Amino acid sequence: MADEAFDDPRLAALYDPLDPDRSDLDLYLRLAGDSGARRVLDIGCGTGVFALLLAARGVDVVGVDPSRASLDVARAKPGAERVRWIHGDATALVPLRVDLATMTANVAQAITDPADWRGTLRGAREALRPGGRLVFETRVPARRAWEGWNRADSYTVVDVPGTGPVESWHELLAVELPLVTFRSVRVLPDGEVLASESTLRFREREEVEADLAAHGFAVEEVRDAPDRPGREFVFVARRPAPAPAPGPAAGRH
């Protein structure tokens, strides 16, 4: 199910203007480049920012997202014809063989239901070629990011082209670990209030590593997020390639 913040067309249209700093994607771009990935599956592609950056570099990209409103925003962007957009999630993909699968930003944490999470990991593994990698990030629970999800710490005003100044902030609603629920509020220039509720799942590093292993991944490394040092885990996991078949036994001479 798509998050309310992304499934309302009015909110989906505001997503990029209200979050213009996407330096969090630099790590993913470097990983894609360093690994020589030519085919990428962007799970939870949202409004298509990362998918379009890859496509502009000549990468064959499939972007999948459960939010039709977000995909409509993505499809309207320059270069969108270079990406294959799929309305849905990783549990029911067409057959793929990609070099890299990604879940950027909050995507992994937004998959709160354990069954959906298991299905996502299965779908990602099936889409990857042997030796391909899955990369995603998740917040470190001990850093208690939700403590900053209040109006005083999150209030901003952004002048959105074609709309005018939009106020926005977050309000914490419930902390029932591992789940945290909050409300995002946007106030348009005419005073109209657009609000949405979101829930994120905060998984411990050991839990994620166990989930990956249970679904056939080998965890290569757990990195720090350069844009949020000490606050996020970045998991790099590989679908192992099958062991080579043994050669013929040497005969006697």
Side-chain angles (χ1 to χ4, degrees), residues 33-71:
D34 292 347
S35 66
R38 303 308 307 158
R39 296 177 300 279
V40 174
L41 169 63
D42 186 16
I43 299 170
C45 64
T47 58
V49 176
F50 181 58
L52 290 168
L53 287 171
L54 288 174
R57 298 183 176 198
V59 178
D60 182 8
V61 188
V62 175
V64 59
D65 199 279
S67 166
R68 191 177 298 278
S70 292
L71 287 177

Side-chain angles (χ1 to χ4, degrees), residues 17-31:
L18 296 184
D19 188 20
D21 179 11
R22 296 311 308 273
S23 56
D24 60 299
L25 299 177
D26 293 345
L27 170 65
Y28 294 89
L29 290 170
R30 284 197 301 272
L31 284 168

Side-chain angles (χ1 to χ4, degrees), residues 28-216:
Y28 294 89
L29 290 170
R30 284 197 301 272
L31 284 168
D34 292 347
S35 66
R38 303 308 307 158
R39 296 177 300 279
V40 174
L41 169 63
D42 186 16
I43 299 170
C45 64
T47 58
V49 176
F50 181 58
L52 290 168
L53 287 171
L54 288 174
R57 298 183 176 198
V59 178
D60 182 8
V61 188
V62 175
V64 59
D65 199 279
S67 166
R68 191 177 298 278
S70 292
L71 287 177
D72 287 344
V73 172
R75 289 187 176 110
K77 292 181 177 180
E81 71 283 354
R82 301 173 184 168
V83 178
R84 181 179 182 184
W85 307 103
I86 297 176
H87 179 230
D89 57 35
T91 65
L93 290 169
V94 296
L96 297 170
R97 271 297 176 265
V98 299
D99 305 309
L100 178 68
T102 61
M103 290 186 279
T104 66
N106 289 332
V107 171
Q109 287 191 261
I111 305 171
T112 58
D113 182 81
D116 291 342
W117 177 240
R118 292 192 295 269
T120 298
L121 294 180
R122 282 195 301 270
R125 187 184 186 281
E126 291 171 2
L128 286 165
R129 63 166 176 79
R133 290 174 174 83
L134 169 65
V135 183
F136 61 92
E137 64 192 78
T138 183
R139 290 179 177 85
V140 178
R143 294 302 300 268
R144 302 173 65 86
W146 57 84
E147 292 181 346
W149 297 348
N150 55 70
R151 178 169 178 145
D153 291 331
S154 63
Y155 180 85
T156 62
V157 180
V158 176
D159 192 3
V160 177
T163 299
V166 176
E167 300 174 81
S168 66
W169 65 88
H170 300 306
E171 299 171 349
L172 185 63
L173 298 180
V175 179
E176 299 172 345
L177 293 177
L179 301 178
V180 177
T181 301
F182 61 98
R183 178 185 293 114
S184 297
V185 180
R186 294 86 166 174
V187 182
L188 303 183
D190 63 2
E192 182 180 6
V193 177
L194 303 177
S196 62
E197 291 188 12
S198 303
T199 299
L200 299 180
R201 190 177 192 95
F202 284 74
R203 299 178 177 90
E204 297 290 349
R205 172 175 173 168
E206 295 76 13
E207 177 187 357
V208 177
E209 291 179 328
D211 288 344
L212 288 167
H215 288 84

Side-chain angles (χ1 to χ4, degrees), residues 229-245:
R231 292 186 288 168
E232 292 189 347
F233 300 124
V234 179
F235 292 88
V236 181
R238 176 174 46 85
R239 174 180 177 174

